[in-house]
Amino acid sequence: MKKILLGALAVLSLGAVTVIGLLQAGAIDMAADKPHSPAVYRLIEWAREQSIARRAADIVPPDNLSDAGRIRRGAGNYDAMCANCHLSPGIEDSEIRKGLYPTPLNLSKPANAADSDRTDARRFWIVKHGVKATGMPAWSKGGMEDEAIWDLTAFLKIMTSLSPEEYRRQIEASNGHSHIGLEGHEAEMGSKSDVEHPHDTKPHSHKHGAHKH
């Protein structure tokens, strides 16, 4: 038994040394345009989904995600903050999305799984906390407050049913990019009593015009 344990320990030690040697030599290609092998990709995907499901398990979505005001506010923030990577109805790809790995989900397309409270909780957690090594930011770090994240979640619930024209009307009716934001977040941390940032304050917008290479 002792020999078996020593043999197993030797094998594990050799494996660890081999991995460290490969890492030290720069043998693992970290380029975004060189995909993982299918087995590695599935392992990472499984680990990610298990992690998100565990951490989102206790999140209870609000009862008013169908509220028109929530959807309106979420539409403006989605178009400003998410559409370039996660697309919108009628848009099949984008310049930045082509270069990201893993490729961001096209959130304008219906998901395979039925929409549910768990789907809403998962979306909320991902927007708030982000996902390591995917390009998905933790928007709360930039000052996006929970209510604005739920607004965005409310819009995601209905976006897959929208035509390109209906999507554009939702954006035009929205407040644009409108939430507390980094500037308000920093001010709030300095003096909460001096700063108010309601959702219906004057929005600020981000314009993505054409650019040349």
Side-chain angles (χ1 to χ4, degrees), residues 89-189:
I91 304 299
E92 295 300 323
D93 218 337
S94 70
E95 188 174 27
I96 188 172
R97 188 171 180 272
K98 283 178 176 290
L100 288 173
Y101 182 80
T103 304
L105 292 175
N106 182 348
L107 296 181
S108 70
K109 302 290 187 183
N112 293 326
D115 210 19
S116 67
D117 282 355
R118 288 301 89 210
T119 303
D120 297 333
R122 179 182 183 277
R123 288 169 175 166
F124 175 88
W125 190 94
I126 290 173
V127 174
K128 181 169 183 172
H129 298 286
V131 182
K132 288 183 176 74
T134 65
M136 178 63 200
W139 284 113
S140 61
K141 285 291 187 179
M144 192 175 190
E145 69 278 23
D146 285 2
E147 283 303 300
I149 297 175
W150 283 122
D151 293 343
L152 185 55
T153 303
F155 178 69
L156 289 173
K157 288 176 72 67
I158 64 101
M159 182 173 65
T160 57
S161 67
L162 301 178
S163 67
E165 294 75 20
E166 289 168 334
Y167 174 84
R168 187 49 46 192
R169 286 198 294 271
Q170 285 279 356
I171 303 308
E172 290 171 353
S174 76
N175 293 347
H177 186 189
S178 177
H179 62 84
I180 191 171
L182 180 59
E183 182 179 347
H185 181 64
E186 291 173 344
E188 185 181 58
M189 291 303 100

Side-chain angles (χ1 to χ4, degrees), residues 4 8 16 36 46 54 59 77 86-87 97 102 109 127 135 139 154 162 166:
I4 294 175
H36 296 302
W46 174 80
R54 177 180 177 180
I59 296 174
N77 284 330
H86 291 289
L87 307 180
R97 188 171 180 272
K109 302 290 187 183
V127 174
W139 284 113
L162 301 178
E166 289 168 334

Side-chain angles (χ1 to χ4, degrees), residues 45-58:
E45 185 177 44
W46 174 80
R48 183 188 68 230
E49 292 305 313
Q50 293 299 112
S51 174
I52 293 170
R54 177 180 177 180
R55 285 158 179 79
D58 295 330

